Amino acid sequence: MDEEYDVIVLGTGLKECILSGLLSVDGLKVLHMDQNDYYGGESTSLNLNQLWKRFRGADEKPPEGLGSSKEYNVDMIPKFIIANGNLVRVLIHTDVTKYLNFKAVDGSFVYNKGKICKVPANDVEALKSPLMGLFEKRRARKFFIYVQDYEENDPKSHEGLDLTKVTARKIISKYGLEDDTIDFIGHALALHQDDSYLDQPALDFVKRMKLYAESLARFQGGSPYIYPLYGLGELPQAFARLSAVYGGTYMLNKPECKVEFDADGKAIGVTSEGETAKCKKIVCDPSYLPDKVKKVGKVARAICIMSHPIPHTSDSHSVQLILPQKQLGRKSDMYLFCCSYSHNVAPKGKYIAFVSTEAETDKPEVELKPGVDLLGSVEEIFYETYDRYVPTNDSGVDHCFISTSYDATTHFETTVDDVIAMYSKITGKTLDLSVDLSAASATADE
């Protein structure tokens, strides 16, 4: 292997595959290696047999009543894609949309005072919603109109407030909204994971709400989310195809990929099976360079197989339900994610639900109970926890660009923020995501 690559990417997790695609499109010479013999790394999708092997060991076989193994595509990091969000922009920017089929997600719900409530998708739903009393609805409507009309470049729409300085808490208090309303707006619409956003400048909060509203309007569905048919395992493979089209090289099943450094501690290549490929930069997930990352938390998750939709979600076949931290007396939110045969991730009549949260204890069964209890009867349930890592290295010195681990959220916004920041660090350029959003469409229900 005498040729030198611009970048060697280690691991085929979603972040690594997106970067490999983006860098190849930019004309960089990319070699992509993975110790596993499958795509997706942490964010892979498993069929039923693989799921059993991973959680129950090789000796036990899945019950026949669950249907055919290959009809299951169970995401290990389940997340929905917000329709006008940055992941969709990246998909359009790279033209990866041609390899994928998306379908809108039926519903977005929030847990409030012990009940599951639909997140209102329009003015009419907002007026009927049990989330607020009548006077509160009027106040909330004024606030929503302010958010809707807010344009960063048009001072007339700012109502005299500089959102780069004024906190979210201050703006909300200006409209006199109640705590429960703030809870649902901050967590189910703006998708904040905890309440720290209240004391940050309000611009990000308002932009997130606008993104939610625009995404909701996009497919006139009951939620702002879309999700690929056959699950998220399709995404890394689509970006891998893209990279290959632009000359990227892929090698799966490469054991013990060892990053080589020169005397100054700069990455210069990767050795596997006695051969070293040279490169200028390394991109990888935390598992490849464990001494350059630190643990910052862990995610607890339950994976459930059911034969019915989540109760009180209007029989939705695909759904996100957010349980804000305050409603459960926790430090961070809990997320329920459900999809089914309508997205081709399970045989007909089967539903797959996930309950996930940032772990605050060592007992996932106890900690996830409030979410699991909302699911109704469950045929099979698997629990797991995994550690979350962030890089601690200086990529300017060692030329190693390490992604952060996936968080507990059931949407992709935080994931893509990490990819965009890494892209800028690797290339010194800003990723241009001003694209024509109408280029991506979701298939209508048959």
Side-chain angles (χ1 to χ4, degrees), residues 257-283:
C257 296
K258 179 173 177 288
V259 181
E260 304 289 352
F261 295 91
D262 66 10
D264 301 326
K266 193 170 91 220
I268 50 169
V270 174
T271 302
S272 173
E273 300 180 298
E275 286 188 289
T276 302
K278 297 192 188 75
C279 66
K280 302 186 181 87
K281 291 174 179 167
I282 295 280
V283 172

Short mmCIF file of all heavy atoms in Angstrom, two decimals, residues 257-283:
data_model
loop_
_atom_site.label_atom_id
_atom_site.label_comp_id
_atom_site.label_asym_id
_atom_site.label_seq_id
_atom_site.Cartn_x
_atom_site.Cartn_y
_atom_site.Cartn_z
N CYS A 257 -7.70 -2.47 13.55
CA CYS A 257 -7.18 -1.28 12.86
C CYS A 257 -6.43 -0.43 13.87
O CYS A 257 -7.03 0.12 14.80
CB CYS A 257 -8.34 -0.47 12.28
SG CYS A 257 -9.26 -1.34 11.02
N LYS A 258 -5.12 -0.35 13.71
CA LYS A 258 -4.30 0.37 14.69
C LYS A 258 -3.79 1.67 14.07
O LYS A 258 -3.17 1.66 13.00
CB LYS A 258 -3.11 -0.51 15.10
CG LYS A 258 -2.16 0.14 16.10
CD LYS A 258 -1.12 -0.87 16.59
CE LYS A 258 -0.12 -0.25 17.53
NZ LYS A 258 0.84 0.66 16.86
N VAL A 259 -4.10 2.79 14.72
CA VAL A 259 -3.64 4.09 14.20
C VAL A 259 -2.16 4.26 14.52
O VAL A 259 -1.72 4.04 15.65
CB VAL A 259 -4.46 5.24 14.82
CG1 VAL A 259 -4.01 6.58 14.26
CG2 VAL A 259 -5.96 5.03 14.55
N GLU A 260 -1.38 4.63 13.51
CA GLU A 260 0.07 4.84 13.68
C GLU A 260 0.36 6.34 13.81
O GLU A 260 -0.24 7.14 13.09
CB GLU A 260 0.84 4.29 12.47
CG GLU A 260 0.58 2.81 12.18
CD GLU A 260 1.20 1.88 13.22
OE1 GLU A 260 1.96 2.36 14.09
OE2 GLU A 260 0.91 0.67 13.15
N PHE A 261 1.28 6.67 14.73
CA PHE A 261 1.65 8.08 14.95
C PHE A 261 3.13 8.29 14.70
O PHE A 261 3.93 7.37 14.90
CB PHE A 261 1.31 8.48 16.40
CG PHE A 261 -0.16 8.44 16.71
CD1 PHE A 261 -0.74 7.29 17.23
CD2 PHE A 261 -0.96 9.55 16.48
CE1 PHE A 261 -2.11 7.24 17.51
CE2 PHE A 261 -2.33 9.51 16.76
CZ PHE A 261 -2.89 8.36 17.27
N ASP A 262 3.51 9.52 14.28
CA ASP A 262 4.95 9.82 14.15
C ASP A 262 5.49 10.33 15.49
O ASP A 262 4.76 10.38 16.49
CB ASP A 262 5.20 10.82 13.00
CG ASP A 262 4.62 12.19 13.28
OD1 ASP A 262 4.19 12.44 14.44
OD2 ASP A 262 4.58 13.02 12.36
N ALA A 263 6.76 10.73 15.50
CA ALA A 263 7.41 11.13 16.75
C ALA A 263 6.73 12.33 17.40
O ALA A 263 6.78 12.50 18.62
CB ALA A 263 8.89 11.44 16.48
N ASP A 264 6.06 13.17 16.59
CA ASP A 264 5.39 14.35 17.15
C ASP A 264 3.96 14.04 17.59
O ASP A 264 3.20 14.94 17.95
CB ASP A 264 5.33 15.48 16.09
CG ASP A 264 6.71 15.86 15.63
OD1 ASP A 264 7.64 15.80 16.47
OD2 ASP A 264 6.88 16.20 14.44
N GLY A 265 3.57 12.77 17.52
CA GLY A 265 2.21 12.40 17.94
C GLY A 265 1.15 12.68 16.90
O GLY A 265 -0.03 12.76 17.20
N LYS A 266 1.59 12.82 15.64
CA LYS A 266 0.64 13.10 14.57
C LYS A 266 0.28 11.79 13.87
O LYS A 266 1.16 10.97 13.58
CB LYS A 266 1.29 14.07 13.57
CG LYS A 266 0.32 14.69 12.59
CD LYS A 266 1.00 15.81 11.81
CE LYS A 266 1.62 15.23 10.55
NZ LYS A 266 2.89 15.72 10.16
N ALA A 267 -1.02 11.57 13.60
CA ALA A 267 -1.45 10.35 12.93
C ALA A 267 -0.91 10.31 11.51
O ALA A 267 -1.00 11.30 10.77
CB ALA A 267 -2.97 10.28 12.91
N ILE A 268 -0.33 9.16 11.12
CA ILE A 268 0.24 9.05 9.77
C ILE A 268 -0.30 7.85 8.98
O ILE A 268 0.00 7.69 7.81
CB ILE A 268 1.79 8.96 9.82
CG1 ILE A 268 2.21 7.88 10.83
CG2 ILE A 268 2.40 10.31 10.16
CD1 ILE A 268 3.68 7.52 10.78
N GLY A 269 -1.09 6.99 9.65
CA GLY A 269 -1.60 5.85 8.91
C GLY A 269 -2.32 4.87 9.82
O GLY A 269 -2.45 5.08 11.02
N VAL A 270 -2.79 3.77 9.21
CA VAL A 270 -3.50 2.73 9.95
C VAL A 270 -2.96 1.37 9.53
O VAL A 270 -2.82 1.10 8.33
CB VAL A 270 -5.02 2.78 9.65
CG1 VAL A 270 -5.73 1.60 10.31
CG2 VAL A 270 -5.62 4.09 10.14
N THR A 271 -2.64 0.53 10.53
CA THR A 271 -2.16 -0.82 10.24
C THR A 271 -3.24 -1.85 10.55
O THR A 271 -3.86 -1.81 11.60
CB THR A 271 -0.91 -1.14 11.11
OG1 THR A 271 0.09 -0.15 10.83
CG2 THR A 271 -0.35 -2.52 10.78
N SER A 272 -3.45 -2.75 9.57
CA SER A 272 -4.35 -3.88 9.81
C SER A 272 -3.78 -5.07 9.05
O SER A 272 -3.37 -4.93 7.90
CB SER A 272 -5.76 -3.56 9.31
OG SER A 272 -6.56 -4.73 9.39
N GLU A 273 -3.76 -6.22 9.71
CA GLU A 273 -3.24 -7.45 9.09
C GLU A 273 -1.86 -7.23 8.47
O GLU A 273 -1.59 -7.66 7.34
CB GLU A 273 -4.24 -7.95 8.03
CG GLU A 273 -5.61 -8.25 8.63
CD GLU A 273 -6.62 -8.75 7.61
OE1 GLU A 273 -6.92 -8.01 6.67
OE2 GLU A 273 -7.09 -9.88 7.78
N GLY A 274 -1.00 -6.53 9.23
CA GLY A 274 0.39 -6.39 8.80
C GLY A 274 0.65 -5.36 7.71
O GLY A 274 1.80 -5.10 7.35
N GLU A 275 -0.39 -4.74 7.19
CA GLU A 275 -0.18 -3.72 6.16
C GLU A 275 -0.57 -2.35 6.69
O GLU A 275 -1.56 -2.23 7.41
CB GLU A 275 -1.05 -4.02 4.93
CG GLU A 275 -0.54 -5.17 4.09
CD GLU A 275 -1.34 -5.27 2.79
OE1 GLU A 275 -2.51 -5.65 2.85
OE2 GLU A 275 -0.78 -4.92 1.73
N THR A 276 0.20 -1.34 6.32
CA THR A 276 -0.10 0.02 6.79
C THR A 276 -0.53 0.89 5.61
O THR A 276 0.17 0.96 4.60
CB THR A 276 1.12 0.65 7.49
OG1 THR A 276 1.49 -0.19 8.58
CG2 THR A 276 0.78 2.04 8.02
N ALA A 277 -1.68 1.53 5.76
CA ALA A 277 -2.13 2.52 4.77
C ALA A 277 -1.76 3.89 5.32
O ALA A 277 -2.04 4.19 6.49
CB ALA A 277 -3.62 2.41 4.57
N LYS A 278 -1.11 4.72 4.49
CA LYS A 278 -0.68 6.04 4.97
C LYS A 278 -1.79 7.06 4.76
O LYS A 278 -2.58 6.96 3.82
CB LYS A 278 0.56 6.50 4.20
CG LYS A 278 1.78 5.63 4.40
CD LYS A 278 3.01 6.32 3.85
CE LYS A 278 4.22 5.42 3.84
NZ LYS A 278 4.15 4.42 2.74
N CYS A 279 -1.82 8.08 5.63
CA CYS A 279 -2.83 9.12 5.45
C CYS A 279 -2.39 10.41 6.14
O CYS A 279 -1.45 10.42 6.93
CB CYS A 279 -4.17 8.66 6.03
SG CYS A 279 -4.12 8.46 7.82
N LYS A 280 -3.14 11.49 5.83
CA LYS A 280 -2.87 12.78 6.47
C LYS A 280 -3.76 12.99 7.69
O LYS A 280 -3.39 13.66 8.64
CB LYS A 280 -3.11 13.92 5.47
CG LYS A 280 -2.27 13.83 4.20
CD LYS A 280 -2.47 15.10 3.34
CE LYS A 280 -1.67 15.04 2.05
NZ LYS A 280 -2.40 14.36 0.96
N LYS A 281 -4.97 12.42 7.63
CA LYS A 281 -5.93 12.64 8.74
C LYS A 281 -6.70 11.36 9.02
O LYS A 281 -6.94 10.56 8.11
CB LYS A 281 -6.92 13.75 8.37
CG LYS A 281 -6.28 15.12 8.31
CD LYS A 281 -7.22 16.19 7.81
CE LYS A 281 -6.50 17.53 7.79
NZ LYS A 281 -7.21 18.56 7.05
N ILE A 282 -7.12 11.21 10.28
CA ILE A 282 -7.94 10.07 10.70
C ILE A 282 -9.29 10.60 11.18
O ILE A 282 -9.36 11.56 11.93
CB ILE A 282 -7.28 9.35 11.91
CG1 ILE A 282 -5.94 8.73 11.53
CG2 ILE A 282 -8.23 8.30 12.50
CD1 ILE A 282 -6.02 7.43 10.79
N VAL A 283 -10.36 9.93 10.73
CA VAL A 283 -11.70 10.21 11.25
C VAL A 283 -12.20 8.90 11.85
O VAL A 283 -12.11 7.86 11.20
CB VAL A 283 -12.66 10.66 10.12
CG1 VAL A 283 -14.09 10.77 10.65
CG2 VAL A 283 -12.20 11.99 9.54
#
